[in-house]
């Protein structure tokens, strides 16, 4: 049987061992916890920094309500022409993807509200580059786009001629409807643009 002095020593040793074990367990748990508040804040800061590092123009895309305009400008006569394009034909494109699709145009404005592409040319006869003249014609049972005074093959668009009156048909047959390069681009993207182009043509 333990004496009083031995019992006291045993109790003191037991208490010391308990506190040492408790201290080791506490510090180990604190150092190896899965997520500390400081780590959470650091992660949030890093995510915020990554988002802010992405240029704003790369995050903008063409939406259904975006107004898209193709413009042509004659640097000699300063004459301008413009055509509206249905946004659904270019839906989801970024500025970079749009520029790749319209290499001959310069992007003047690009945001979710409006997109404007401009093509400059010169009608000065002394310059090498001339603006090509396009006309609407008939190819089989469809409307087509032809380059005037060239032997290039017509480009057929998905629009049947039986939608038009005899007067419009005769204009198409005789290739009397002249269109700009901007209108040509718009027709290739969206054939329904043809209705807007023909609004100025009425039978006499």
């Amino acid at each position: 049987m333990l004496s009083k002095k031995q019992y006291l020593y045993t109790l003191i040793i037991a208490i010391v061992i308990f506190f040492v074990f408790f201290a080791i367990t506490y510090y180990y748990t604190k150092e190896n916890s899965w997520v500390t508040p400081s780590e959470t804040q650091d992660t949030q800061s890093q995510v915020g920094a990554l988002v802010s590092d992405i240029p704003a123009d790369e995050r903008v895309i063409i939406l259904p309500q975006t107004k898209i305009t193709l413009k042509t400008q004659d640097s000699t006569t300063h004459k301008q022409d413009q055509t509206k394009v249905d946004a659904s034909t270019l839906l989801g494109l970024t500025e970079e993807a749009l520029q790749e699709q319209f290499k001959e145009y310069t992007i003047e404005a690009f945001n979710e509200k409006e997109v404007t592409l401009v093509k400059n040319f010169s009608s000065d006869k002394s310059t090498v580059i001339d603006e090509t003249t396009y006309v609407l014609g008939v190819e089989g049972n469809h409307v087509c786009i032809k380059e005037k005074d060239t032997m290039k093959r017509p480009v057929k668009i998905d629009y049947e001629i039986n939608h038009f009156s005899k007067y419009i048909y005769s204009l198409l047959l005789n290739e009397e409807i002249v269109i700009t390069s901007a209108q040509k681009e718009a027709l290739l993207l969206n054939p329904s643009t043809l209705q807007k182009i023909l609004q100025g043509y009425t039978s006499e």
Side-chain angles (χ1 to χ4, degrees), residues 32-173:
N32 293 277
S33 60
W34 288 103
V35 179
T36 63
S38 60
E39 288 175 343
T40 304
Q41 291 174 359
D42 290 342
T43 303
Q44 291 175 345
S45 299
Q46 290 172 3
V47 172
L50 288 172
V51 172
S52 62
D53 285 342
I54 301 174
D57 56 351
E58 291 183 10
R59 296 198 299 269
V60 177
I61 61 171
I62 294 176
L63 302 175
Q65 67 270 23
T66 304
K67 295 179 180 179
I68 305 174
T69 307
L70 295 179
K71 290 183 179 179
T72 55
Q73 296 180 163
D74 189 333
S75 58
T76 304
T77 63
H78 302 293
K79 182 181 178 181
Q80 296 184 356
D81 190 19
Q82 64 180 41
T83 304
K84 298 294 183 183
V85 178
D86 188 351
S88 63
T89 60
L90 301 171
L91 202 62
L93 291 186
T94 61
E95 184 173 356
E96 184 180 5
L98 184 69
Q99 186 66 78
E100 183 65 25
Q101 199 159 344
F102 290 87
K103 294 181 179 179
E104 296 182 356
Y105 286 78
T106 301
I107 297 178
E108 187 178 73
F110 190 94
N111 55 65
E112 293 177 351
K113 290 184 179 180
E114 65 172 331
V115 170
T116 305
L117 298 103
V118 181
K119 180 180 180 181
N120 292 294
F121 68 95
S122 175
S123 59
D124 188 349
K125 293 182 180 179
S126 63
T127 60
V128 177
I129 302 174
D130 293 321
E131 177 71 356
T132 305
T133 301
Y134 298 98
V135 294
L136 296 179
V138 177
E139 180 80 6
N141 195 40
H142 289 79
V143 178
C144 68
I145 302 172
K146 295 183 177 182
E147 284 190 27
K148 199 170 184 180
D149 302 324
T150 69
M151 298 299 293
K152 290 185 178 181
R153 188 172 181 176
V155 179
K156 187 169 67 174
I157 62 175
D158 190 20
Y159 214 106
E160 296 183 358
I161 58 175
N162 55 18
H163 290 287
F164 307 113
S165 64
K166 291 182 178 179
Y167 174 70
I168 295 296
Y169 176 72
S170 67
L171 293 178
L172 293 170
L173 201 60

